[in-house]
Amino acid sequence: MITKSTALEVLNEALSTGADFAEIYLEEDDQTTINMDNGKVESCDDTLTRGAGIRLLKDLRSVYGYTNNITRAGLLRLARDLSASFDGERLLTVDSITKVRQGKKHLPKIRYSEFPREELIAMLKKSSDACLAYDEKIVRCEISFAFNYKTVEIFNSTGKQFGDVHSRGRYIVTATARDERGIETFHHRPGAQKGMEFFLEEVDLDEEARSAAQSALTLLGAKECPSGKMTVIIGNGFGGVIFHESCGHSLEASSVSKGLSVFSGKKGEKIASDIVSAVDDGTIDGAWGSGNIDDEGNPTARNLLIKNGVLTSYLVDSFNGRRMNEPGNGACRRESYKFEPTSRMSNTFILNGKSTPEEIIANTEFGLYAKDMGGGSVNPATGEFNFAVNEGYIVENGKISYPVKGATLIGSGKEVLLNIDMVGNDLLRAQGMCGAASGSIPADVGEPTIRVQNMTVGGRGGTIK
Amino acid sequence: MISYKKIFDKAALEGLEALELYASETRNFSFSLFRGELDSYSISDSASIEARGISNGKIGYATTEKFDSTTPEYLVSRIKQNAELTSSDDPGIIFRGSERYRKKNVFNKKLSQTSPEDKISLMKGFFSAVTAKSDKIQEVEISYEESEETVTLTNSFGLRLSSKVNYAVVFAQAVATDDSGETKSGMMFRVLSDPDEFNTEEAAAEIVNDTIRQFGSGPCDSGKYRCVFSGDAFASLLGPFLRNLSSDEVQKNSSLLAGKIGEKVASSKLTVFEKPLEKNMSFRYFDDEGVATSNKTLIKNGVLQTYLYNLATAAKENRESTGNGYKEGGSAIGVGLRNVFVKPGSLTEEGLFEKAGEGVYITSVSGLHAGMNAQSGNFSLIAQGFMIRDGKLAEPLSLITAAGNLFDMFGQITAVGNNIKIRMNGFFAPSVLVRKISISGK
């Protein structure tokens, strides 16, 4: 997007007052969103974003700025404004820039821009019809289909140039069921960092839509979940949000390095039950949170976070790594040029254990089976979290007994990890958008079916005796 | 940015029936302090044009941040393509203009002219005030974020409206540890239109008190309790409740308040206004379609007064827009609100505790994106707070869940406090007393 000579000039301008590191991040992102409501295209929206972020580091201070004006003059002005926040002497000068060779994974086979939009809309319409036809109580089907093609270029004061391309697509279907008992909604939202081939070959949109309809109907007939402490079986796939929220965020260098995380200084210590191992893996081919490089140019990695219950690694970006004496490990991400990058998760999940999901249910005398989870949040200082159960069932005498709604799981990350007493062998990943300091980024959560002892369940269906 | 005329000319040449450009320019300045020292510092300027146009009676959208000779072609060709693919029943409307607009100046020069150094030293003073108040405070993170936003709406009917606003938000988070090693965190925020408005001592006292008063907290017994919701907690629930006033939700059969105009939908203690013309950071004299906004009563003594309309939903019912057409993330126009005010009652917050006698005071609820279903009204949210015993605050509570149904809960408000102020979500809300809420703890 800019020439090497412009990059050199801007980096050297940025370094003029004593910064020890400078970086230019450029991005152009062509995004399309199609919204359908009960089979009709409500809107079709194209957005082209383009801009640059400049980051300067000096010891433990960072300075960041961004602009849409990526001309030489615009970038030089931003570099000058940012460098004014330091008042030292120049420490280094960049003489030349070399392009770094890197992987070329995660590229689309069929570019969304080359797939006819009429055909795509016909596919969405067909799935909407399948959802609405599932049952007369299904009163509304909303579909959103979004895809993008994002090109990234990074130049930094070590004299290196990096580049990457991200093309993602996601289908979100929301089914609303209504009868005299009330209104319930349920959604499915598969996505990948692949091209249109993902929706032609790997995902059956009609099936996704029907399944959302079925779950919304189940909720209509569900009883309110009872509350109290109980055994909770958390389903595979999006159930991994428990790990993402209660543990993953607390392993990010942004809070670890400042002593703000419950896991600060705990490397080598046991933080989870012996049967728990977990990774963050930004290298998985075509996965939602993958990349060839992270957003500061480091190659992405498969980082083993927990091995048999012992904390083995944090997620580190090079700036926060300065406080920890650790190099960045490919976990530095940002939503766009409008965000200063920091340590974030990519595809984070608990690894397979030995039990089958059937065994886990059969071994549970009484408990809640949280088959599908909603989102959640965590307080990184205390590790306290909450998340909603989208689809839940009461398990009695080793069998799934009846559906429940309105359940919330609450607790603290520290305790829950230690209270996992069974881990299934059915690992599945699911797509989410993770929001934190550097914006909203695509991230996979995941896990096999797991069982947690003595978890607090919130609900309106009375207290468990 | 770029000449609008070139875009309008291109649109006319390509046969668009109407075109609207919604241009926004934003400048931000922010920094944060960690342990009292400058930790991050950021400046930015960004601009975008969100365009909507009518082609063959249908509406299409395109947005760009790329301003060069290709911009008119990009916007106009994408609008045409997208309009053709649209099959919505919603009429595509570009607005000709309201009869009267009530423009006011809400731009504060002093805020933008105060130097970055002075703003940083103000926040350093705040840091010192926080740490001086208690030796239990381990960490304090303070962030200061200032924005200047200019929005200009122009269209091919000659309408041209512009609004410029600036404000700063101070946000602080503190972590405290007591002798037993228990860790608690608290936070505080202020919205400023003038740096002199910031009262360092008062803000420091608030965050320190909010943090250390939580020590020794735990769950209470599960059961049904009389509840006082703090203004912050109540504001969090009011947002999802008011979503049901959207004419879009009503027309699409997704609102449980459909058909309830003139009926009682909440306790007679509750009156709620929308005041977009109030002079503050959320002031806007036109909505995102160019319709003049107006102050109005949404709920009066518990009785629903109106739904909220944009041009498209109003046209379906053959009535006028209420000036509530706002973009919701994308370029498409949804239904939104600015400056929600709850009419204050007569009791102080302490008065509410007294009136409750025995019960639970909920200071905050979290996890709304997961635990709140605005359509059914069912919620189950992690909460923090205190027991109320003998009309006074008693031991702190954590790891509890407050669950109920919004529509039931709003009907059971038995008193409204007089402590109205701006809350985290921008609503001006007081504390309220609710007859009965399910709390699960131990």
Side-chain angles (χ1 to χ4, degrees), chain A residues 28 30 37 40-50 60-68 78 81-82 85 117-118 121 140 176 178 183-185 224 227 258 260 323 337-338 340 375-377 379 381-382 384-386 388 406 408 410-411 456-460 463, chain B residues 28 34-35 38-47 61-66 74 78 81-82 85-90 139 141 175 183-185 222 249 252-254 256 330-332 366-367 369-371 373 375-376 378-380 382 399-401 403-405 440-441:
Chain A
E28 184 162 321
D30 196 350
D37 201 337
K40 290 193 168 153
V41 178
E42 289 277 302
S43 69
C44 208
D45 191 350
D46 283 292
T47 298
L48 183 63
T49 64
R50 185 183 72 161
L60 295 180
R61 271 183 66 191
S62 78
V63 175
Y64 191 77
Y66 64 83
T67 180
N68 302 125
L78 178 59
D81 287 350
L82 288 170
S85 69
R117 283 198 191 177
E118 291 78 2
I121 285 169
R140 188 172 179 189
T176 302
R178 180 174 192 161
I183 294 183
E184 296 292 344
T185 62
E224 295 291 345
S227 64
K258 293 179 175 175
L260 295 173
R323 280 183 211 275
Y337 70 90
K338 291 186 176 175
E340 180 173 359
S377 63
N379 177 335
T382 61
E384 286 169 16
F385 66 77
N386 71 305
T408 312
I410 64 177
T456 303
V457 174
R460 305 194 299 144
T463 315
Chain B
N28 284 311
F34 179 64
R35 293 184 181 149
L38 201 57
D39 180 44
S40 71
Y41 183 97
S42 170
I43 49 178
S44 68
D45 68 281
S46 60
Y61 304 87
T63 297
T64 189
E65 294 179 349
K66 187 172 176 177
Y74 170 81
R78 296 282 178 117
Q81 177 193 12
N82 289 337
L85 293 169
T86 300
S87 52
S88 166
D89 295 331
D90 284 358
E139 305 285 359
E141 269 191 302
V175 176
T183 298
K184 293 293 168 193
S185 76
S222 299
E249 298 294 324
K252 284 177 179 150
N253 211 13
S254 295
L256 286 178
S331 310
S366 54
H369 61 299
N373 183 332
Q375 272 182 6
S376 65
N378 291 331
F379 64 86
S380 173
I382 192 169
L399 293 176
I400 55 169
T401 317
N405 180 281
S440 63

Side-chain angles (χ1 to χ4, degrees), chain A residues 42-113:
Chain A
E42 289 277 302
S43 69
C44 208
D45 191 350
D46 283 292
T47 298
L48 183 63
T49 64
R50 185 183 72 161
I54 296 180
R55 179 164 67 136
L56 305 185
L57 304 181
K58 183 176 174 63
D59 302 322
L60 295 180
R61 271 183 66 191
S62 78
V63 175
Y64 191 77
Y66 64 83
T67 180
N68 302 125
N69 183 350
I70 67 164
T71 60
R72 176 177 166 277
L75 292 174
L76 279 172
R77 186 167 59 235
L78 178 59
R80 202 158 36 237
D81 287 350
L82 288 170
S83 67
S85 69
F86 299 125
D87 53 7
E89 296 291 311
R90 176 185 293 279
L91 296 176
L92 68 151
T93 304
V94 191
D95 300 322
S96 65
I97 286 174
T98 315
K99 197 165 182 174
V100 176
R101 284 174 159 274
Q102 63 216 23
K104 281 203 174 8
K105 280 160 62 172
H106 327 297
L107 290 174
K109 287 192 194 114
I110 304 171
R111 289 268 299 260
Y112 287 104
S113 60

Side-chain angles (χ1 to χ4, degrees), chain B residues 347-409:
Chain B
L347 291 177
T348 61
E349 200 174 49
E350 289 70 29
L352 293 176
F353 300 151
E354 220 165 283
K355 188 164 176 168
E358 308 291 318
V360 167
Y361 172 49
I362 293 179
T363 51
S364 71
V365 291
S366 54
L368 273 107
H369 61 299
M372 167 65 71
N373 183 332
Q375 272 182 6
S376 65
N378 291 331
F379 64 86
S380 173
L381 302 165
I382 192 169
Q384 282 189 337
F386 295 84
M387 287 305 293
I388 303 171
R389 297 185 192 280
D390 203 15
K392 292 192 175 58
L393 286 192
E395 72 272 21
L397 300 173
S398 62
L399 293 176
I400 55 169
T401 317
N405 180 281
L406 275 182
F407 302 101
D408 294 344
M409 180 198 139

Side-chain angles (χ1 to χ4, degrees), chain B residues 236-310:
Chain B
S236 302
L237 300 175
L238 186 58
F241 182 82
L242 293 178
R243 221 191 76 166
N244 290 282
L245 269 61
S246 158
S247 53
D248 194 38
E249 298 294 324
V250 172
Q251 289 169 357
K252 284 177 179 150
N253 211 13
S254 295
S255 167
L256 286 178
L257 295 184
K260 299 250 165 132
I261 296 286
E263 289 183 27
K264 210 148 172 283
V265 297
S267 149
S268 57
K269 306 280 180 191
L270 190 71
T271 295
V272 183
F273 311 102
E274 188 210 9
K275 298 183 180 176
L277 297 173
E278 186 85 2
K279 277 182 85 169
N280 61 23
M281 63 177 273
S282 299
F283 168 83
R284 265 289 277 290
Y285 69 96
F286 59 93
D287 70 4
D288 290 351
E289 300 183 287
V291 177
T293 59
S294 60
N295 293 346
K296 53 186 159 293
T297 309
L298 305 176
I299 294 167
K300 187 176 181 182
N301 301 328
V303 176
L304 180 61
Q305 304 295 307
T306 182
Y307 297 124
L308 305 166
Y309 293 87
N310 59 29

